[in-house]
Amino acid sequence: MKVVIVGGVAGGASAAARIRRLDEDAQIVIFEKSGYISYANCGLPYYVGGVIEDRGELTLQTPDSFKSRFNIDVRVRHEVTGVHPSRKTVQVKDLESGRVFEENYDKLLLSPGARPTRPPMPGMDSPRLFTLRTVEDTLKIREFVVREKPATAVIAGGGFIGLELAENLMDMGVKVTIVQKPHHLLNPLDGDMASFIHGKFRRKGARLLLGVGVTGFEDREECILTYFDEEHPLCAQMVVLAIGVTPDTGLAKDAGLELGARGSIVVDGHMRTSQPDIYAVGDAVQVRHGVTGQPALIALAGPANKQGRVAADNICGGDSVYRASFGSSVIKVFDMTAASTGINEGAAQAAGLDYEKIVLSPGSHASYYPGGRSMTMKLLYEKKTLRILGAQIVGFDGVDKRIDVIATAMQAGLKVTQLKDLDLAYAPPYSSAKDPVNMAGFMAENIETGKVKQFHWDQLPQLPRDGTVLLVDTRTPQEYQLGHAPGFINLPLDDLRQRAQELPKDKPVYLMCQSGLRSYLACRMLSQRGFDCYNFSGGYRFYRSIAQNQLQEDVNTACGLAH
């Protein structure tokens, strides 16, 4: 059996190695357009910033290592320019010599990945304009930064690559402006959760221009101008375009393969395309979303590697199935971590799901052990079935651990209330006896059993301030003086039991504290005395982050963009 693989990196390289493990006699040929067959794509921004010092560390395998260990014929700088299913050949161009030839196959695996989105705008050919997708892109940016020592940079796009590169440039002393059309960074997060990321970047000195579309670029003698819709242009010494990726599926289209969302390749659970003996994996393929069940494009390394393994198994006569992608992801943001899995609130609304959300701010580990810091967790579940729809966490230590537990629970089909029963490891430096994931389960159970009712930050402006409801902040006077939500009076939790008779029972009581715990205790205390109580989801800490972000956005809107 002869297997030809188009593209390396995560999907193609992992498939090739798996095929060899399953079939020692198979002839395996990989054609890779770039000069690198298998590299740490997610590590590229950290080489630009010097965190990864040796560029050799980015290369996971070389053509020679593939040949010596796996007996795989790897040909870099070879571009496949055509696929001919009828005669089972591919057309290949050797980019070094210019020679064009055909290679036959028994099985073909397409792993072309995705390319940076480059809309047709003026100035896209500027030498000061970069994209970041390959090792070559990384070396080009690194060389420019070291040689030119730019003082300013514009990052167009607030996704994973854009933010990681922004952080690395800022750590090198570059003043960074992040601009994008959406109104918040990191699309997997909702705007309320992204407010913590906005605050971190602003405190570090970055400028955020959100809700602003880029319309083009223009080279000047000392800088490149970035033009916006309805705003003044911005002058910087370099621009990185990171507005997303587009499936690289020209070959598939020309070969007559069925295409799906945004031109992606349609595959079945075995990673087979619409053409016999042709498989496809990675960022170029359409998958089923594990929550909505709808077609989705999820460009992440984890799914690509797993798909490569599934395709390899089936190429070798097995019966492996790739069931779905849940989009679990994590990103480092300076000393913070943001992670998500499943869908966010915006996606749940778009899908027409009847959902409930809970927000909590637990500590990363036991409060009495030094070094603990708060994280904010937002979890969505379907009201009728209690199916977990997704989660978002922003914090410091332990964020990745909790998102992985929730992702596992989702894929195992656990109900949200079953999170309380998970037997998770505990020691004071790592967690609390009631882990944050357990706490999310407890909160969901309390809501579903009617032990607590809640209200959310976006309902605050609608609450009347005419005395028909009671707005109570249960924190200490010292905490209250440092900041509180408008209209809330201070009545500390520890005084509430003695002063409850002062509160009229004919008015609903809306309670808030720092994290949601003390106000929950107040709710339980008052509800058992006949009060109609509502607990604020996420606490004042959550509200403050959202409010400060909205205030900053209002300032940006009022002031416009500087030249």
Side-chain angles (χ1 to χ4, degrees):
M1 178 177 64
K2 182 177 180 180
V3 182
V4 170
I5 298 175
V6 181
V9 199
S14 63
R18 176 68 172 173
I19 291 170
R20 175 58 71 226
R21 293 195 295 272
L22 296 175
D23 187 344
E24 182 62 25
D25 297 322
Q27 182 183 354
I28 307 170
V29 182
I30 304 178
F31 293 114
E32 168 59 42
K33 182 179 178 180
S34 77
Y36 299 85
I37 182 61
S38 179
Y39 55 88
N41 190 284
C42 298
L44 300 182
Y46 299 99
Y47 177 75
V48 172
V51 177
I52 299 173
E53 298 178 358
D54 181 1
R55 81 182 198 181
E57 294 293 328
L58 297 173
T59 305
L60 305 178
Q61 293 282 353
T62 66
D64 288 343
S65 68
F66 253 82
K67 182 65 176 177
S68 62
R69 176 162 295 180
F70 298 109
N71 190 27
I72 293 173
D73 181 6
V74 176
R75 306 181 203 177
V76 296
R77 301 288 295 155
H78 279 66
E79 181 182 6
V80 174
T81 58
V83 176
H84 309 295
S86 60
R87 59 179 185 266
K88 301 185 78 169
T89 65
V90 295
Q91 181 173 292
V92 186
K93 181 177 181 179
D94 184 337
L95 298 179
E96 298 291 346
S97 67
R99 183 175 72 96
V100 176
F101 61 95
E102 284 199 357
E103 190 86 14
N104 68 295
Y105 65 83
D106 296 310
K107 304 288 185 181
L108 177 64
L109 175 66
L110 300 179
S111 179
R115 61 184 185 277
T117 302
R118 293 176 62 92
M121 296 188 295
M124 294 292 288
D125 58 348
S126 169
R128 293 179 179 270
L129 177 67
F130 304 90
T131 57
L132 180 56
R133 185 67 178 176
T134 66
V135 174
E136 287 89 346
D137 294 337
T138 307
L139 300 179
K140 187 178 178 182
I141 297 174
R142 174 68 180 174
E143 179 185 354
F144 179 88
V145 171
V146 171
R147 183 183 70 245
E148 301 293 334
K149 296 181 172 55
T152 56
V154 168
I155 306 293
F160 294 104
I161 290 292
L163 297 192
E164 289 168 344
L165 190 54
E167 175 185 341
N168 277 275
L169 290 175
M170 291 170 68
D171 286 343
M172 299 174 74
V174 180
K175 188 171 181 60
V176 169
T177 298
I178 303 172
V179 56
Q180 68 167 21
K181 191 67 173 177
H183 286 272
H184 71 266
L185 303 175
L186 286 180
N187 187 56
L189 303 184
D190 289 312
D192 49 13
M193 294 295 287
S195 67
F196 292 99
I197 307 302
H198 298 177
K200 174 60 71 173
F201 270 100
R202 287 179 174 132
R203 287 191 297 274
K204 288 290 186 177
R207 186 180 183 193
L208 305 185
L209 304 179
L210 306 177
V212 176
V214 175
T215 59
F217 308 94
E218 182 185 349
D219 270 322
R220 293 291 176 89
E221 186 176 344
E222 295 297 330
C223 72
I224 176 173
L225 287 177
T226 302
Y227 288 93
F228 308 101
D229 47 10
E230 303 179 5
E231 298 290 354
H232 296 297
L234 189 64
C235 183
Q237 290 170 296
M238 67 179 294
V239 172
V240 179
L241 194 63
I243 59 175
V245 295
T246 301
D248 193 356
T249 55
L251 281 175
K253 180 180 180 181
D254 292 343
L257 303 188
E258 182 183 353
L259 302 181
R262 290 174 52 201
S264 58
I265 303 171
V266 172
V267 294
D268 62 15
H270 292 82
M271 308 311 298
R272 283 189 296 249
T273 71
S274 58
Q275 287 282 358
D277 299 320
I278 301 180
Y279 296 74
V281 300
D283 296 352
V285 306
Q286 174 181 287
V287 297
R288 186 179 71 86
H289 198 287
V291 175
T292 66
Q294 297 302 307
L297 283 174
I298 298 179
L300 294 168
N305 273 281
K306 298 177 185 72
Q307 291 161 14
R309 181 184 176 94
V310 168
D313 286 354
N314 294 310
I315 285 171
C316 294
D319 188 27
S320 291
V321 177
Y322 186 83
R323 304 190 183 283
S325 290
F326 286 78
S328 302
S329 62
V330 64
I331 182 174
K332 172 186 174 296
V333 182
F334 299 99
D335 60 339
M336 293 182 70
T337 301
S340 67
T341 188
I343 61 174
N344 59 22
E345 193 171 356
Q349 292 170 354
L353 294 171
D354 186 19
Y355 68 92
E356 184 62 88
K357 60 183 175 182
I358 54 177
V359 182
L360 59 158
S361 298
S364 57
H365 60 245
S367 60
Y368 58 84
Y369 188 88
R373 303 181 73 175
S374 294
M375 65 178 70
T376 298
M377 301 174 60
K378 181 177 183 178
L379 189 143
L380 310 180
Y381 64 92
E382 195 170 30
K383 287 183 179 180
K384 192 171 185 179
T385 65
L386 303 186
R387 177 173 65 112
I388 304 170
L389 301 176
Q392 304 157 57
I393 310 177
V394 179
F396 300 88
D397 294 339
V399 167
D400 55 337
K401 175 169 70 173
R402 274 63 186 226
I403 207 71
D404 284 344
V405 171
I406 295 172
T408 303
M410 288 175 62
Q411 295 185 53
L414 297 186
K415 295 181 178 180
V416 65
T417 49
Q418 291 178 294
L419 295 178
K420 66 184 175 61
D421 301 319
L422 294 179
D423 189 0
L424 304 175
Y426 160 61
Y430 302 105
S431 183
S432 299
K434 296 176 181 176
D435 187 85
V437 175
N438 296 138
M439 293 301 300
F442 292 140
M443 290 177 64
E445 182 185 55
N446 284 338
I447 292 169
E448 292 303 313
T449 57
K451 292 183 177 65
V452 67
K453 294 182 288 187
Q454 57 180 350
F455 67 107
H456 303 285
W457 67 270
D458 50 354
Q459 297 172 291
L460 276 173
Q462 284 75 51
L463 292 179
R465 265 71 174 180
D466 58 1
T468 56
V469 301
L470 298 178
L471 307 178
V472 179
D473 188 318
T474 62
R475 296 176 298 158
T476 66
Q478 293 80 8
E479 290 174 297
Y480 181 82
Q481 290 299 321
L482 290 174
H484 54 271
F488 279 73
I489 63 170
N490 185 216
L491 183 53
L493 172 66
D494 292 341
D495 298 340
L496 187 58
R497 185 170 282 106
Q498 289 72 34
R499 297 180 57 186
Q501 66 274 10
E502 301 174 17
L503 303 177
K505 289 187 177 181
D506 61 342
K507 296 180 180 181
V509 184
Y510 292 82
L511 296 133
M512 180 184 291
C513 71
Q514 189 71 7
S515 68
L517 175 59
R518 282 174 286 178
S519 51
Y520 160 68
L521 297 176
C523 270
R524 292 302 304 146
M525 184 188 305
L526 292 176
S527 63
Q528 293 178 75
R529 287 169 166 78
F531 289 88
D532 183 19
C533 295
Y534 298 82
N535 186 31
F536 182 68
S537 175
Y540 178 75
R541 177 178 174 273
F542 186 51
Y543 163 78
R544 180 183 61 193
S545 179
I546 299 167
Q548 288 177 343
N549 179 67
Q550 290 177 332
L551 177 63
Q552 186 64 48
E553 292 306 311
D554 290 342
V555 169
N556 283 345
T557 301
C559 296
L561 305 184
H563 288 280

